[in-house]
Each structure stands twice: as C-alpha cells, then as structure tokens.
Amino acid sequence: MRPVDLIRKKRDGAEHTREEIAALVNGYTAGSIPDYQMSAWLMAVLLKGMSRTEIALLTEIMLNSGATMDLSSIPGKKVDKHSTGGVGDKTSFILAAIVAAAGLTVPMISGRGLGHTGGTLDKLESIPGFNVNLTTDNFMSVLKSCGCALIGQTAEIAPADKKLYALRDVTGTVESPALICASIMSKKLAEGIDALVLDVKTGSGAFMKKKEDAVHLAELMVETGQQMGKRVAALITDMDQPLGRTVGNSLEILECIEIMRGEDGPLSKDLRELSVELSAWMFFLTDKCDSVDAGRNLAEEMLTSGKALDKFKQILRLQGGGDISVVDKPSRLPHAAHTTEFKSSSDGFITAMQCEQIGIASLVLGGGRSKKEDTIDHAVGLILHKKVGDAVKNGESLCTIHYNAVSDSDNRLSQALEILESSYTIAVDRPAINRPLVHQVVGGALRARGAGEISIASL
Ligand code: URA
C-alpha cells in the first residue's frame, strides 16, 4: 500500500478501510512514512472529513499504537478531564487539585501547545523542577501517594498521537473533528479511567468556532467513550475571550495559584467558575456526588478550605523535585525581562476580543511553537486588564505584555503588538453580553453502554 495512493484516495473524498488507516498511522509512528506525506494526508482529512466508522477506526488504531494503563491496583474511581484547547485555558491544574483533594484519583495525560492554544505540559514545565516525563512506574507511585499525577504521553501511551499531534500543530491540520476526536480519545481511553469530562470549546479562540461544530465533536467523543464503557459527558464552553486574566505559561500557573490561595480578582471569575463546574461533573460521573449541584458544593469546599492548595503542593512535592516554594513565592516562576502596556486608543466598551489572535500574540512572543523543534519561552505572555463588556478610557492599558528580546533584530514584540491592534473591538455603547460560560452539556444523561452510533471493533 503506497502512502501516495492513500493520500490521493482521501483527497478525492473516498472512505478508508481499517487496513489503510492502520498502514498510515502505524507507518508514520514507526518512521517509515515521512512527515511530508503524513502532512498531506492530514490536510486531506481536514478538508474532506472522515465517516464515523473511519473516526472509530482511527481512534482504535491510535489507542492500540501503545499500551493501556492498568490502574486496578489503585482503589476507588479514576476520572479525568480533557479540553479541546483554548486561550488562557488552565482549569486542569485547579480541578485536578480539587478532585484529588476530595479523594478521587486523577491520572491526567496531557499535551503540549497546539496551534494558537496553550498546552498543559508547557505550562507545568514553567514550574522550576516540575517533571512531566514520569515512567509508568513513577506515574503509578505518584498516583498512589497523592491521587493525582500530571504527565505527558510516555513512550508507551498512544505514541501515534504523540507524533501526529506535533505534526498537526505546525501544518494547519488541527481543526478537524475526526483528528481531534481520535487524538483526545486515544490518549484518554489508554488512561484506565472510569469517567471522563470533556471541555469542548467554542468561539473565536476555539478550534470549533461554531457551536454546532463543537456539539458535533462532543457527540463523537462522548459516543466513542461510552462505547468503551466509560461514563463521559462533554460541556460545550465559551472561548470567545481568553479564560481568566492571563495568557502564557508561567503567568497562567500564577493565576491558578492565586485562585487556590483565594487571592483571585474579578477577571479570574470565569476561570474559577469553570474549574468548579468541571470538577462538579467529575464528582457526579464517578458517583462521588449524586447531583452536579452537590458536586459544585464539594468543589467549592475543596477550594475555600485550602485543601485543593494543599493537594497542589503535594503534587509539586512529588513531581516538582520537592520544591513547593513557588506556591508561596510565585515570584520564583520564570518572569520576562521586559513589560510594556498595550493601551486603548479610544473611550468606550470592549464589545469583542479576537481570542485566537490573542493566543497567537502570546505564541509569537515565544509562548508557543511555530515549528516542531521550537523551544518555549515560559515567561512571556499577556496579563489582561479588561475583558468583554468592560469600559475603557483612551490611553488606559488593555493588557500588559511580558516579553524577552534575544537580539536587536528580535521583532517578536512588534509582531505581537500588531496582532493585538486588531484583536479588540471597542464601541461607544455597552454591549449586551449573552454568551453563557457553559452553552450546553452533551451526554449528561449518561446513556447506557453501547447506545451510541459508533462501533469500535476489537477494543
Ligand atoms: N487536545 C488534544 O489532545 N488533541 C487535539 O487534537 C486537540 C486538543
């Protein structure tokens, strides 16, 4: 089977067989298919789409490219959350601490930045000494000790996704429901969890800009998970502006610490609320609480009592080389050499933020990757002072840019400024804000196993 023939087949909109998908995915994972051919195939998938059967096969083949975790030696329910990716999306750190503090086990396998969105692993690595590359044995031992471990894909878990994810990031092939579903579900189904909450973003900073596309993706993922006997629900959540008040790796960790310390301000309200909501669903799906309302109360209690913060410290102690001082002294997080204010050039109200552009502004400062081999500058990013609906005065700061300049010809700041110029819409009248934080829940009724439309053979 020649890769070029399979590329042509998908380019022309035809449906692949199991053998064809396996040849492509396994060939690429093993290194026998080069990046340029896989990129072409990914682009064909993005443009022509995949049938539900193809998506189920792709998920299965990616899952079976590696090992699955056996967590049966750890008592109690195991639950995880995964987001389709957003700007300033940092709920993972807060909810992992909340949920583990309440006694559940959270085995979280995450990814790096993708496109304009930030990655959990990149953010974690901004914490000095934090190790996301645990062996499976170490992962198990951290999980047993504190109920939560946050790691990247090991060589054993879904290696196909690890390679494809990095390639999609730099080839404009992220925004495909088929590829996102297979990427997320192949990792998550390998984790040995009982339940999964999906945070499917929609809006200008999401891969799925339109709500109906987000719902379609959510349905695909919920059905895939339910077919595997997992309890899965997907929250369709708003990403029309960054979540919280920070964008950029260490700045986002700082904001999470503020929330867990109870020192957050009004611009972090949406982040705190969504972290509580997702935790509530994690409690509900695992029967820790008999309603989502009760789950919210439990999540609040974990935050306000300081138990989530204590759990976060425990995770840092176990995965961060023992140094938890960053929690009490966030100044120990990497910080950029320079800051400058991005100011409003008129009076009025912010009526819209081009959220994807704001993510790209952080990326060009060095907070994300443009090429696979790029290294991340953990310190750079943006601190927002205004969000949609806020009044602004001419000359008032909309956000502070944290940046580094490695040479005189370094034009990253000017690029970021240019992007930001076109990212805010300011009008005279106060906008009516009617976008809820959670638009809809898919799978909340917990349909019985096997009720979905997708059949994943041989899993
Ligand atoms: N998160 C993932 O793990 N994969 C995607 O494709 C998108 C978000």
Side-chain angles (χ1 to χ4, degrees):
M1 227 176 282
R2 295 190 320 152
V4 65
D5 297 327
L6 303 181
I7 296 167
R8 279 206 197 101
K9 183 168 180 180
K10 188 42 77 186
R11 179 200 66 191
D12 296 340
E15 189 170 3
H16 284 308
T17 62
R18 167 190 290 276
E19 290 67 34
E20 289 169 350
I21 298 175
L24 282 159
V25 171
N26 296 336
Y28 182 62
T29 310
S32 60
I33 295 181
D35 279 356
Y36 58 83
Q37 284 188 309
M38 205 58 187
S39 307
W41 181 75
L42 290 169
M43 185 57 80
V45 170
L46 181 123
L47 296 173
K48 295 294 171 158
M50 278 187 145
S51 68
R52 290 198 167 201
T53 308
E54 281 178 301
I55 296 171
L57 289 170
L58 180 63
T59 308
E60 175 197 334
I61 290 160
M62 284 170 60
L63 169 62
N64 289 337
S65 69
T68 50
M69 295 218 173
D70 178 5
L71 303 185
S72 55
S73 60
I74 302 176
K77 294 276 176 63
K78 292 103 202 170
V79 59
D80 195 6
K81 182 267 341 180
H82 199 86
S83 156
T84 56
V87 179
D89 179 11
K90 46 192 109 55
T91 61
S92 286
F93 314 110
I94 303 168
L95 66 82
I98 290 175
V99 173
L104 294 174
T105 299
V106 187
M108 194 176 269
I109 299 178
S110 303
R112 298 198 174 274
L114 196 60
H116 64 281
T117 68
T120 301
L121 299 180
D122 298 324
K123 293 171 200 182
L124 283 169
E125 283 178 344
S126 70
I127 302 172
F130 199 95
N131 181 11
V132 298
N133 298 312
L134 302 184
T135 61
T136 307
D137 284 351
N138 285 340
F139 179 67
M140 290 295 284
S141 109
V142 173
L143 266 185
K144 282 181 182 158
S145 310
C146 81
C148 176
L150 302 154
I151 61 163
Q153 272 154 285
T154 61
E156 298 98 64
I157 298 290
D161 178 57
K162 192 173 181 176
K163 276 193 88 174
L164 285 169
Y165 190 94
L167 188 63
R168 287 167 58 219
D169 186 26
V170 291
T171 54
T173 53
V174 173
E175 297 92 338
S176 147
L179 298 177
I180 297 178
C181 173
S183 163
I184 292 180
M185 297 312 286
S186 63
K187 281 193 285 276
K188 298 289 121 175
L189 295 174
E191 278 178 352
I193 44 176
D194 302 293
L196 175 65
V197 176
L198 294 160
D199 180 1
V200 181
K201 305 284 187 196
T202 185
S204 64
F207 293 122
M208 301 293 125
K209 310 276 185 245
K210 290 197 246 143
K211 188 178 150 200
E212 57 268 32
D213 294 338
V215 171
H216 169 64
L217 173 61
E219 284 169 356
L220 287 176
M221 292 194 291
V222 167
E223 285 169 11
T224 306
Q226 288 179 346
Q227 283 288 332
M228 288 283 291
K230 314 291 177 197
R231 298 183 90 180
V232 188
L235 277 62
I236 311 292
T237 72
D238 198 55
M239 189 35 70
D240 225 25
Q241 61 178 334
L243 196 58
R245 70 179 193 101
T246 57
V247 181
N249 299 290
S250 67
L251 296 172
E252 295 192 32
I253 294 289
L254 171 71
E255 187 177 6
C256 293
I257 293 173
E258 285 170 356
I259 289 182
M260 286 186 271
R261 287 170 65 97
E263 293 166 356
D264 46 307
L267 288 184
S268 300
K269 186 168 169 280
D270 54 358
L271 170 63
R272 189 185 191 286
E273 210 173 301
L274 186 57
S275 304
V276 166
E277 193 64 21
L278 293 164
S279 304
W281 275 92
M282 291 166 85
F283 290 140
F284 176 58
L285 291 187
T286 48
D287 295 325
K288 176 82 187 169
C289 294
D290 58 11
S291 70
V292 179
D293 263 350
R296 278 185 206 110
N297 293 338
L298 181 57
E300 279 294 345
E301 187 198 320
M302 292 300 113
L303 271 180
T304 50
S305 62
K307 288 183 182 159
L309 182 68
D310 289 344
K311 184 56 71 177
F312 190 65
K313 287 183 180 170
Q314 203 184 350
I315 299 167
L316 290 197
R317 225 176 263 124
L318 291 168
Q319 278 190 256
D323 183 5
I324 59 161
S325 58
V326 77
V327 177
D328 299 315
K329 287 203 188 86
S331 57
R332 300 204 52 194
L333 285 165
H335 45 272
H338 312 283
T339 59
T340 189
E341 302 304 319
F342 174 67
K343 295 180 182 166
S344 172
S345 51
S346 56
D347 289 340
F349 294 91
I350 300 183
T351 55
M353 289 165 85
Q354 289 310 313
C355 188
E356 176 168 344
Q357 292 304 107
I358 291 172
I360 294 174
S362 174
L363 184 151
V364 301
L365 289 169
R369 294 177 189 78
S370 301
K371 297 190 296 303
K372 271 205 300 187
E373 38 299 313
D374 283 352
T375 50
I376 296 274
D377 183 343
H378 292 108
V380 299
L382 310 169
I383 296 192
L384 310 178
H385 304 304
K386 302 281 175 185
K387 291 179 68 170
V388 174
D390 288 344
V392 286
K393 295 241 172 296
N394 189 6
E396 203 179 355
S397 178
L398 295 172
C399 65
T400 305
I401 305 174
H402 290 238
Y403 70 101
N404 287 316
V406 289
S407 68
D408 289 347
S409 61
D410 188 333
N411 64 355
R412 288 181 294 178
L413 174 63
S414 55
Q415 281 181 51
L417 281 166
E418 199 177 311
I419 294 166
L420 288 173
E421 285 296 344
S422 58
S423 301
Y424 289 83
T425 311
I426 295 174
V428 175
D429 296 322
R430 185 188 288 275
I433 302 169
N434 53 11
R435 287 183 73 96
L437 191 55
V438 179
H439 292 266
Q440 187 176 330
V441 178
V442 173
L446 304 178
R447 276 179 296 154
R449 182 177 182 180
E453 291 167 50
I454 302 179
S455 135
I456 302 189
S458 76
L459 284 177

